[in-house]
Amino acid sequence: MRRPRLLYVPFWATYLFLYAPIAVLVFMSFNSGDSPYSFEGFSLKWYGELAGNAEIRHGLVNTLVVALGATVLATVLGTLLAVGMARHSRSKLLDAVSVLPAVLPDLVLAIGLLVFYGMIKMTLGLHSVLLAHTVFGMAFVAAVVRTRLTHADTSLEEASRDLGAGPVTTFLRITLPQLAPGIAAGALLAFTLSVDEFVIAFFTAAPTEPTLPIVIYSMVRFGVTPEINALATLLLAVSFTVVIVAQRMTRLTESLS
Amino acid sequence: MLQITGVSRRFGDVTALADVSLEIRQGEFFALLGPSGCGKTTLLRILAGFESPDSGAVTLDGEDLLGRPAHRRPVNLMFQSYALFPHMTVARNVAYGLEREKLPKAEVRSRVAEVLEKVGLSAMAGRRPQQLSGGQRQRVALARAIVKRPRLLLLDEPLSALDKKVRAEMQLELKRLQHEVGITFVVVTHDQEEAMSLADRIAVFSAGRVEQVDAPVALYERPRTPFVAGFVGANNIFSGRACSVGLASDGLGVLPGSSDLPDGTPALLAVRPERLRLDGGRDGEGVLKGEVADVSFYGGVSHVSVAVPGRAEPVLAATQGATPIRAGAQVNLSWAAGDGVLVPQ
């Protein structure tokens, strides 16, 4: 039996709504002309311009430093937080508070951190953004790992203890491998969120150390150029790759466990 | 060898164990039998080190066991779910416990190979647990527990996850292995047939208490408490008061039985279905008379349930093979005095 074709209309309409602007952006990044609105011919020249732009390169390096650093910190701390909460705490409130940074409005978190940094007289720079991104990244990692933990079989840990492994060995050899897919997913999530995070970075970065989104923002203030389109296309490619890798990885590790 | 003295454990309002004392001997196959929630698993987890009792003492070879953490006890547990490590191969699973003892690699390898041979899984050493059948997983779990050569091996419902045919096989396998390795086995089960066929001695648990500890045959033939009479095997139970020739029952007259209970003690009389004699016909000698309500044929035996006036539940009789008796027939029921067991109430 064939489904009536009419049913597919809302389906395709939704996809069109979601992806048409992105398609236009990618298409326009290959424009040979200066205008971001009218296509004059195919060219890769804006990608070349991009590579030559020192400001963008600086922003990109800053973003990668922040994202990688925050991901490592957030993954380690978030995993420990999730395990600690699951195994050693029965407080529902503490549980809810641990994921709060993930759901708080960015603006609130940004202002809060700024005030806090001022209070402890910390200078702003890249490290302040890195720490700020660790805060919300950690909450995401903890939430993802926590879900995985609730499905994990506690008898495996007991079996490990029973076979003569102390608590540390048990954690490293049994608990961690069980959680690996969750940890990997959490880490990739933290990384992608950090790469395109704007509000918190804008508040907590030193003016001399802007991250890529801040650089883009300051460029866009003078109008969208095809150079921005090219940059956005590259960012899109990175996000897509990370998402696909994340999916593959979870599928792979899940089939192993 | 294992001495459990006055162990109690409460969870909130629920008493899981109430003053339990048991002695388990070297090389014994010992079963803790009882319905779910009777505390037998709690006792097992106390022995393994995952729970601690509120009071009481446990010693193994005269040494205190409760003071030691789970990973320092010469005791291993085979989990009901098997708890095999999914990210390790069969060989790595079995080697895990030996590696924790920091044994030389060559010795670990030879002992793993030896134990896998013993459980017949040498060919599966490189597989992962999820690639094995239920019976094979069970053997891996067993191999992983015995490879450490513990003083005491605990088994939590070892056969419950297997289907009937594999279960019978594993039952024999367990007995053979226990004989071969000479480790003391303590098995927890709710399945009385499993306990009967495996164990040298059985402790029957009910609501956190030990009701009776005995060899399987003694447990079956001489239940000493009403719970054991009702729980272990099928039984026809009559209530009343003890008298010189048996039981003065409530509403069914005097029923033959043997006991040394003083006359007038409130008691139950238990008669096994296979000890009941059935005679057709209206007249003839019989302790009880009744009408056959139902006949079920099981191949080796037939169960005849007889409605006896004055008694709510039917009386169950078991006969060898097929029986000519049909539903609706009038029958006489009788048994030898020696087959009626009196249990104080």
Side-chain angles (χ1 to χ4, degrees):
Chain A
M1 196 189 90
R2 292 192 58 190
R3 281 181 221 181
R5 292 201 166 197
L6 213 60
L7 274 184
Y8 286 102
V9 172
F11 174 78
W12 288 115
T14 310
Y15 265 74
L16 193 71
F17 180 70
L18 282 176
Y19 287 102
I22 295 173
V24 169
L25 182 142
V26 172
F27 180 69
M28 292 306 280
S29 74
F30 297 107
N31 193 356
S32 61
D34 282 350
S35 161
Y37 307 115
S38 65
F39 193 75
E40 287 163 26
F42 179 84
S43 145
L44 286 175
K45 84 170 194 197
W46 296 112
Y47 288 88
E49 294 264 319
L50 206 58
N53 188 327
E55 216 179 323
I56 287 180
R57 277 211 311 271
H58 184 53
L60 182 66
V61 170
N62 279 349
T63 286
L64 287 180
V65 168
V66 167
L68 288 174
T71 301
V72 170
L73 279 178
T75 306
V76 172
L77 294 175
T79 303
L80 291 177
L81 178 66
V83 172
M85 297 289 254
R87 296 283 184 264
H88 306 291
S89 150
R90 291 210 184 103
S91 158
K92 283 246 158 68
L93 183 70
L94 222 55
D95 230 17
V97 169
S98 75
V99 295
L100 206 57
V103 291
L104 270 184
D106 288 351
L107 207 56
V108 173
L109 199 58
I111 294 170
L113 282 164
L114 192 61
V115 170
F116 175 71
Y117 288 155
M119 222 170 71
I120 62 168
K121 302 209 162 46
M122 194 171 95
T123 53
L124 298 184
L126 266 194
H127 58 281
S128 51
V129 188
L130 196 151
L131 286 179
H133 281 189
T134 303
V135 170
F136 75 81
M138 191 173 96
F140 278 101
V141 173
V144 175
V145 174
R146 188 62 208 275
T147 343
R148 180 114 194 136
L149 258 175
T150 48
H151 296 296
D153 186 356
T154 48
S155 69
L156 292 185
E157 286 168 23
E158 286 183 345
S160 168
R161 299 274 313 281
D162 188 68
L163 293 167
V168 177
T169 313
T170 298
F171 180 73
L172 294 176
R173 303 274 318 254
I174 305 301
T175 316
L176 269 189
Q178 286 298 105
L179 298 179
I183 295 172
L188 288 169
L189 190 63
F191 182 80
T192 39
L193 287 171
S194 170
V195 164
D196 69 355
E197 202 288 324
F198 173 72
V199 177
I200 296 172
F202 187 71
F203 274 76
T204 53
T208 52
E209 298 290 346
T211 59
L212 197 55
I214 299 174
V215 173
I216 296 175
Y217 172 73
S218 53
M219 285 167 74
V220 170
R221 272 192 303 183
F222 308 110
V224 179
T225 65
E227 199 177 0
I228 301 279
N229 287 343
L231 182 58
T233 305
L234 288 180
L235 283 179
L236 193 70
V238 171
S239 307
F240 256 64
T241 318
V242 170
V243 168
I244 290 167
V245 167
Q247 268 191 341
R248 283 279 158 85
M249 254 173 74
T250 17
R251 221 176 300 153
L252 191 74
T253 37
E254 235 142 57
S255 66
L256 285 181
S257 63
Chain B
M1 169 195 144
L2 181 76
Q3 188 82 46
I4 300 166
T5 322
V7 166
S8 297
R9 179 76 169 99
R10 296 178 62 83
F11 297 104
D13 290 339
V14 183
T15 306
L17 292 171
D19 194 25
V20 168
S21 297
L22 284 173
E23 198 199 336
I24 294 167
R25 300 173 203 137
Q26 170 68 42
E28 199 170 25
F29 202 134
F30 195 90
L32 309 175
L33 172 68
S36 55
C38 70
K40 57 193 193 302
T41 300
T42 306
L43 183 60
L44 200 74
R45 291 177 61 83
I46 286 174
L47 297 180
F50 302 131
E51 290 286 350
S52 36
D54 299 330
S55 59
V58 179
T59 61
L60 182 66
D61 299 322
E63 279 175 52
D64 173 50
L65 196 63
L66 296 177
R68 291 208 218 173
H71 58 283
R72 301 232 169 81
R73 294 186 184 192
V75 173
N76 283 116
L77 170 62
M78 199 186 99
F79 289 77
Q80 185 174 9
S81 62
Y82 310 147
L84 300 177
F85 306 132
H87 56 291
M88 298 182 192
T89 60
V90 166
R92 306 280 309 153
N93 260 284
V94 177
Y96 189 83
L98 295 177
E99 284 165 358
R100 304 282 81 74
E101 289 176 30
K102 308 253 185 306
L103 294 175
K105 278 213 168 93
E107 191 186 342
V108 171
R109 223 172 305 133
S110 73
R111 272 173 72 175
V112 168
E114 185 193 331
V115 79
L116 284 179
E117 172 88 55
K118 205 171 277 176
V119 297
L121 282 178
S122 301
M124 305 290 170
R127 299 233 186 144
R128 285 180 189 269
Q130 55 274 37
Q131 296 169 306
L132 303 178
S133 71
Q136 290 170 332
R137 285 181 206 190
Q138 213 247 8
R139 285 162 202 257
V140 178
L142 192 63
R144 190 176 69 173
I146 59 176
V147 76
K148 302 248 311 171
R149 298 179 187 152
R151 292 285 294 136
L152 187 67
L153 180 67
L154 310 171
L155 303 102
D156 190 3
E157 303 274 1
L159 306 176
S160 68
L162 302 175
D163 58 52
K164 208 171 173 183
K165 218 177 146 194
V166 186
R167 191 183 306 187
E169 248 169 62
M170 273 319 290
Q171 223 159 355
L172 289 174
E173 183 89 8
L174 271 180
K175 269 192 122 155
R176 176 182 69 84
L177 271 171
Q178 199 254 348
H179 199 72
E180 255 180 57
V181 296
I183 298 170
T184 307
F185 277 32
V186 175
V187 57
V188 152
T189 179
H190 68 276
D191 181 340
Q192 40 167 309
E193 281 178 26
E194 195 172 305
M196 292 276 193
S197 58
L198 285 175
D200 299 321
R201 285 195 307 150
I202 300 172
V204 180
F205 275 71
S206 165
R209 286 174 196 285
V210 178
E211 293 272 332
Q212 186 172 349
V213 184
D214 248 323
V217 175
L219 200 66
Y220 188 76
E221 290 186 342
R222 291 278 142 197
R224 276 204 295 271
T225 70
F227 178 82
V228 176
F231 184 73
V232 179
N235 241 334
N236 294 298
I237 295 173
F238 306 90
S239 68
R241 284 172 188 281
C243 66
S244 57
V245 293
L247 183 88
S249 73
D250 306 333
L252 292 170
V254 174
L255 303 174
S258 64
S259 82
D260 40 18
L261 294 176
D263 281 11
T265 320
L268 297 179
L269 178 80
V271 190
R272 295 287 176 194
E274 67 271 20
R275 301 290 186 186
L276 280 178
R277 277 195 305 275
L278 277 172
D279 298 305
R282 280 166 202 288
D283 33 62
E285 298 295 299
V287 181
L288 295 170
K289 290 179 194 301
E291 188 185 308
V292 176
D294 188 43
V295 180
S296 350
F297 177 58
Y298 290 95
V301 288
S302 298
H303 286 179
V304 181
S305 74
V306 181
V308 174
R311 183 179 154 86
E313 319 99 79
V315 174
L316 192 67
T319 62
Q320 288 287 332
T323 169
I325 297 168
R326 292 284 163 267
Q330 296 293 324
V331 288
N332 299 314
L333 294 162
S334 58
W335 59 89
D339 291 332
V341 181
L342 274 141
V343 180
Q345 205 168 5

